[in-house]
Amino acid sequence: MVLSSYERMIARRYLLPGRGDAIIFLVAGISLSAVMLGVAALVIVMSVMNGFRAEMFDKTVGLNGHAVVQGYDGRIPDWRAVLKDTRATPGVTSAIPLIEQPLMSSFNGRVEAVVVRGMSIADIRANRLINSKVLAGAIASLSPGSARVAIGSQLAEALGAQIGSEISLINPAGQSTPFGSVPRIVSYTVGAIFEVGLYDYDKVYVVMPIEDAQTLLLQGDSVGVIEVNTVDPDRVVPILAPLAAKLGGRAVISDWRQFNAQFFQALEVERVAMFTVLSIIILVAVFNILSSLIMLVRAKTRDIAILRTMGASRGALIRIFVVVGTTIGALGMVAGVALGFIFLFWRQRVVDFVQLVTGQNLWDPSIRYLTELPSKPNPVEIAAIAAMALVLSFLATLYPAFKAANTDPVQVLRYE
């Protein structure tokens, strides 16, 4: 909106009123602060929600892949042929054979439920999620027949185990004897402790070479599943459709949506609900801008009448008050975005400080799934939040602006 020099001067005076108009300046400052807090709250919450979804997706898919090929009886005897067909499917970037089986573990009298995950040595060392999160020991110490395993940090804490500890894995489906089935108990040395950052995985996972897992579970040369990654997780179903038809009755394909559908749907619903609720804060701030401009118009009625008699057009008055209100909204929006980014940068320290002051554990990984508060700002969403604040601020200026433009100088100045 282009203003003339005198319009800019008047708008600047109304934005920075004199000592006699301190109450108007105070209300305008409160309006600006309200817009700032509303925008900051939306930026923070939406970035945290996006970060939570991204972290959950990356860590879940990082260990489970975009989809898995499963045998009907929990085993894929001809897994090499299935693996070849899977890797030959267009759009598939990787296919990893593995064994995944829930068992029991024990150490020094402590017993915990675990999930044994058997992978080839090459796949274990190529797994970025595990290798980048090793807290102690070395993944390189694992090799077929070495009786060494890698365990999650939460499982190590629950068992009281550390590097070099001998933990026992208990397979209930042991060998049959004349006295019944005897559980199979095998001891393994902890060679590495990792923390992927997802509590449910760090609490139960035991990673070992696939050959050792086959021996422990008495599975021979078969595997349990084939983990599949594709070029686009959102198109995993059409990409794997030819493979599903080729496998026929040998195996079934399940994708990441089936494993986590309810969780991600609930997260999306919560995200929309939080955006709607927090948008009301900006709406309330806009009403503050409206009220401050109405007060300004009433306080400056005599000045507006004089301007009209001096030749100021109605359009000029409309532009002046629209610019005043929109400037308050724009300054609040910029300050809110800046405050949001500052909070996001220090978010974990803020959580730690609040925990220290209150003595409460605000971010329990067993409840929140993740070990740290995540964040992933989305430029498109932040631009939409900024645009919404500006548009609402502009709309709030229209009524006071037209009210000022419609001031009748004759009625105001007749007794002057």
Side-chain angles (χ1 to χ4, degrees), residues 36 101 110 120 161 175 194 207 225 232-233 255 310 363 368:
M36 176 186 70
Q101 181 70 34
R110 299 183 183 182
S120 71
Q175 295 179 334
F194 60 85
V207 178
V225 297
D232 186 357
D255 62 68
M310 294 176 64
W363 196 260
R368 310 292 184 183

Side-chain angles (χ1 to χ4, degrees), residues 8-9 17 19 25 39 49 76 100 105 117 120 127 152 163 214 262 312 342 358 383 413:
R8 287 196 299 271
M9 179 192 69
R19 185 177 301 175
F25 181 74
V39 170
M49 295 291 289
I76 309 177
E100 199 166 273
S105 66
R117 185 180 179 89
S120 71
N127 191 295
I163 299 300
Q214 290 171 335
Q262 293 181 339
I342 291 172
T358 62
L413 301 176

Side-chain angles (χ1 to χ4, degrees), residues 95-118:
I96 301 172
L98 55 88
I99 295 173
E100 199 166 273
Q101 181 70 34
L103 297 178
M104 298 296 294
S105 66
S106 67
F107 177 71
N108 283 348
R110 299 183 183 182
V111 178
E112 293 289 335
V114 299
V115 174
V116 170
R117 185 180 179 89

Side-chain angles (χ1 to χ4, degrees), residues 250-392:
R250 293 184 294 167
V252 62
I253 299 176
S254 302
D255 62 68
W256 65 271
R257 289 191 183 89
Q258 294 171 286
F259 294 140
N260 307 282
Q262 293 181 339
F263 175 79
F264 283 105
Q265 287 175 1
L267 199 61
E268 190 64 27
V269 171
E270 184 178 357
R271 183 169 168 273
V272 173
M274 292 298 290
F275 180 86
T276 303
V277 171
L278 292 175
S279 296
I280 297 175
I281 299 177
I282 298 180
L283 190 60
V284 172
V286 165
F287 278 113
N288 285 336
I289 295 176
L290 175 64
S291 63
S292 66
L293 287 180
I294 291 175
M295 291 178 61
L296 181 62
V297 170
R298 291 184 65 89
K300 301 296 183 182
T301 300
R302 185 173 177 274
D303 295 354
I304 294 170
I306 293 174
L307 287 172
R308 288 296 312 279
T309 59
M310 294 176 64
S313 65
R314 296 191 178 195
L317 292 173
I318 291 174
R319 288 192 294 272
I320 289 171
F321 283 94
V322 166
V323 166
V324 169
T326 305
T327 301
I328 294 173
L331 291 175
M333 178 271 294
V334 172
V337 172
L339 179 62
F341 278 111
I342 291 172
F343 182 92
L344 292 174
F345 183 79
W346 298 101
R347 64 189 184 280
Q348 193 57 46
R349 290 180 175 85
V350 171
V351 172
D352 295 339
F353 175 75
V354 174
Q355 289 182 154
L356 179 64
V357 172
T358 62
Q360 301 294 322
N361 187 0
L362 302 180
W363 196 260
D364 186 354
S366 64
I367 299 174
R368 310 292 184 183
Y369 297 103
L370 301 177
T371 54
E372 290 186 352
L373 180 65
S375 170
K376 185 180 180 181
N378 186 332
V380 175
E381 284 185 352
I382 293 174
I385 292 170
M388 180 180 67
L390 286 177
V391 170
L392 291 177

Side-chain angles (χ1 to χ4, degrees), residues 14 19 35 44 72 85 129 165 171 196 215 221 238 253 268 270 292 297 305 310 327 351 389 395 397 403 407 414 416:
Y14 286 171
R19 185 177 301 175
V35 174
I44 293 168
Y72 286 101
D85 291 339
L129 192 61
S165 298
N171 179 12
V196 300
T215 302
D221 190 40
I253 299 176
E268 190 64 27
E270 184 178 357
S292 66
V297 170
M310 294 176 64
T327 301
V351 172
L395 294 177
T397 65
K403 186 73 173 176
T407 299
R414 67 189 303 178
E416 294 293 329

Side-chain angles (χ1 to χ4, degrees), residues 196-240:
V196 300
L198 199 60
Y199 180 84
D200 286 356
Y201 290 166
D202 293 332
K203 183 71 169 63
V204 299
Y205 264 97
V206 176
V207 178
M208 64 173 59
I210 194 169
E211 295 85 355
D212 293 353
Q214 290 171 335
T215 302
L216 172 64
L217 299 172
L218 304 175
Q219 288 194 3
D221 190 40
S222 66
V223 302
V225 297
I226 294 176
E227 179 186 284
V228 183
N229 285 302
T230 62
V231 293
D232 186 357
D234 292 324
R235 296 183 55 249
V236 64
V237 174
I239 289 175
L240 296 182

Side-chain angles (χ1 to χ4, degrees), residues 132-206:
S132 63
K133 301 293 184 178
V134 176
L135 301 182
I139 295 295
S141 65
L142 276 63
S143 61
S146 66
R148 286 182 173 270
V149 296
I151 65 176
S153 59
Q154 298 295 331
L155 176 60
E157 182 179 344
L159 290 174
Q162 55 188 346
I163 299 300
S165 298
E166 296 282 340
I167 65 172
S168 298
L169 297 181
I170 306 168
N171 179 12
Q175 295 179 334
S176 298
T177 69
F179 302 99
S181 180
V182 177
R184 180 177 174 80
I185 304 176
V186 181
S187 295
Y188 294 91
T189 302
V190 177
I193 297 176
F194 60 85
E195 183 178 85
V196 300
L198 199 60
Y199 180 84
D200 286 356
Y201 290 166
D202 293 332
K203 183 71 169 63
V204 299
Y205 264 97
V206 176

